[in-house]
Amino acid sequence: LDAAGIPIRTGLRAQRLIMDAGRVAGLAVTDGDGKTLNIRAERGVIFASGGFTHNPQMRRDFLKGPVFGGCAQPSCEGDFVTIAGEVGARLGNMSNAWWCQIPLDQALDNPSVPTGIWCTPGDSMLQVNRFGRRFLNEKFVYNERTQVHFQWDPVHAEYPNLLSLMIYDARSAREFAGYAPIPPLGPTPPHVHSADTLDALALKLADHLKEIAKRTGGALLADDFLPQLKATVARFNDFARSGKDTDFQRGQTPIEPFFHQFGPQPVLNNPHPNPTLHPLADSGPYHAVLLVAGTLDTKGGPCIDGNGQVLDVRNQPIGGLYGAGNCVASPTGPAYWAGGATLGPAITFGALAAEHAVRGISPDPERGA
């Protein structure tokens, strides 16, 4: 860009498209002082502006369940959904996202959290819902694991897994230190709740949930949470000693032991048969982190064709308008192909869009894009 003499403009926010005879001819933007600038475009306008993770209304309107934030940058507020919608763009894939669990207390402080929970760290660790019961395979891949939060109970009209309580002991706190959300060794951060016994930990969590109930939809611990938690821990410890999690098959998918070791430090040798399972200690301290559904970013928005052209509600290209990345309806649908799946489609369709805008044709498949 520097070699071609093309200016890079920052500190501007896209507001609306400039149209000329039904074709996109530029973009109206505002600067930090609210002044409107019109930027003309001869060939087209390409959006790569991110999803709508940090637009609470769009999250409520479109996503498949309650989402408390994510690790997309704060400017991902869904501007392209509104801007392209004004010129008749068709929307797609709006209920899907690149999912990850996030620490609730961090999200309540700032919904743009530092990181998602990629692989839940720890071996002497389990996740339970507000009823004190395990409800997922804690080591399964993040995109699919997170969606268990959206299970709906039609009888009681609630999301029973809205909150997950990640409970672990001193072993996991030590051996997995620095592997989010377990903090590095040192002062305990606010998102970690600790106590010397499970009884005391349950009481502390119950009080904390009461304090933040207005911000979570009123989620509280069930009356029998403590006895259910103790029964769950006992059952989990039996699984750890035998090496077989007969409830959720933890550690049996090949990716799980790999992710389990992918932390900032080597994991202490686990003498039990399954490296992802270790009994929780009989005595404290015990720790808990509240986890909820979040996103890396959303992946719904205006639909595009194979050239990155935005389509209208009649499935026809809107001349001069293109999109790539998380601001458009992702070709992945609900799936998460692999690590980097947010980046690969963005780079690919960004290149296709640029080729089409400049040349007016699709790239030669023999030459590649």
Side-chain angles (χ1 to χ4, degrees):
L1 292 174
D2 287 341
I6 299 172
I8 300 173
R9 304 293 299 272
T10 62
L12 303 175
R13 182 163 188 166
Q15 298 292 346
R16 61 178 179 83
L17 295 164
I18 299 171
M19 305 297 292
D20 185 359
R23 179 181 174 84
V24 173
L27 188 66
V29 302
T30 51
D31 62 16
D33 296 326
K35 181 182 178 181
T36 299
L37 306 172
N38 291 332
I39 302 173
R40 306 294 296 188
E42 293 183 1
R43 301 297 184 95
V45 175
I46 303 174
F47 274 79
S49 50
F52 56 87
T53 285
H54 298 302
N55 185 318
Q57 180 175 337
M58 286 188 184
R59 291 202 312 257
R60 288 192 300 268
D61 287 348
F62 296 117
L63 296 181
K64 61 181 67 177
V67 169
F68 288 78
C71 47
Q73 60 180 321
S75 59
C76 292
E77 295 182 328
D79 288 4
F80 193 40
V81 173
T82 302
I83 291 171
E86 288 178 332
V87 296
R90 177 167 65 89
L91 301 180
N93 211 39
M94 294 294 286
S95 65
N96 286 306
W98 312 98
W99 304 110
C100 65
Q101 292 180 302
I102 59 175
L104 172 63
D105 291 304
Q106 287 184 352
L108 293 180
D109 183 56
N110 183 345
S112 182
V113 298
T115 184
I117 309 308
W118 184 44
C119 176
T120 316
D123 46 20
S124 49
M125 171 279 304
L126 70 163
Q127 290 189 40
V128 299
N129 58 21
R130 73 180 192 90
F131 301 100
R133 302 185 184 97
R134 288 179 72 209
F135 63 98
L136 47 64
N137 175 350
E138 297 89 347
K139 294 292 181 178
F140 201 57
V141 289
Y142 45 102
N143 188 70
E144 281 65 41
R145 186 179 75 237
T146 303
Q147 295 180 68
V148 185
H149 284 279
F150 304 139
Q151 288 181 350
W152 175 251
D153 179 349
V155 175
H156 299 95
E158 68 171 340
Y159 296 96
N161 306 324
L162 177 72
L163 302 181
S164 178
L165 295 85
M166 173 185 158
I167 308 235
Y168 58 101
D169 64 8
R171 169 195 163 86
S172 284
R174 178 184 68 249
E175 299 303 325
F176 293 81
Y179 194 168
I182 296 177
L185 296 176
T188 302
H191 73 272
V192 177
H193 306 269
S194 303
D196 291 333
T197 65
L198 289 178
D199 298 63
L201 183 63
L203 183 61
K204 179 176 286 190
L205 291 171
D207 289 342
H208 181 61
L209 288 176
K210 289 178 183 177
E211 291 175 0
I212 62 174
K214 290 183 178 180
R215 306 177 70 187
T216 63
L220 302 173
L221 296 186
D223 292 340
D224 62 344
F225 173 82
L226 181 58
Q228 290 291 349
L229 173 63
K230 289 182 176 180
T232 297
V233 169
R235 183 175 178 82
F236 175 86
N237 285 353
D238 287 342
F239 292 158
R241 285 186 281 268
S242 70
K244 294 289 186 181
D245 174 8
T246 59
D247 286 343
F248 298 101
Q249 296 74 54
R250 177 162 139 181
Q252 294 182 30
T253 303
I255 194 68
E256 294 174 41
F258 173 76
F259 277 0
H260 176 71
Q261 292 285 345
F262 207 76
Q265 60 186 0
V267 179
L268 181 71
N269 182 49
N270 185 339
H272 297 279
N274 185 331
T276 72
L277 296 170
H278 189 288
L280 270 72
D282 293 332
S283 59
Y286 299 103
H287 311 279
V289 176
L290 300 177
L291 300 178
V292 290
T295 76
L296 303 177
D297 198 4
T298 58
K299 54 169 158 173
C303 295
I304 59 172
D305 65 9
N307 297 313
Q309 295 182 104
V310 174
L311 302 174
D312 66 17
V313 292
R314 297 187 182 275
N315 220 34
Q316 297 299 309
I318 299 172
L321 184 59
Y322 300 84
N326 295 340
C327 68
V328 299
S330 175
T332 65
Y336 196 123
W337 293 334
T342 58
L343 304 177
I347 294 169
T348 300
F349 283 93
L352 291 168
E355 289 271 4
H356 190 273
V358 170
R359 301 181 181 211
I361 58 173
S362 300
D364 183 352
E366 295 297 322
R367 179 173 59 81

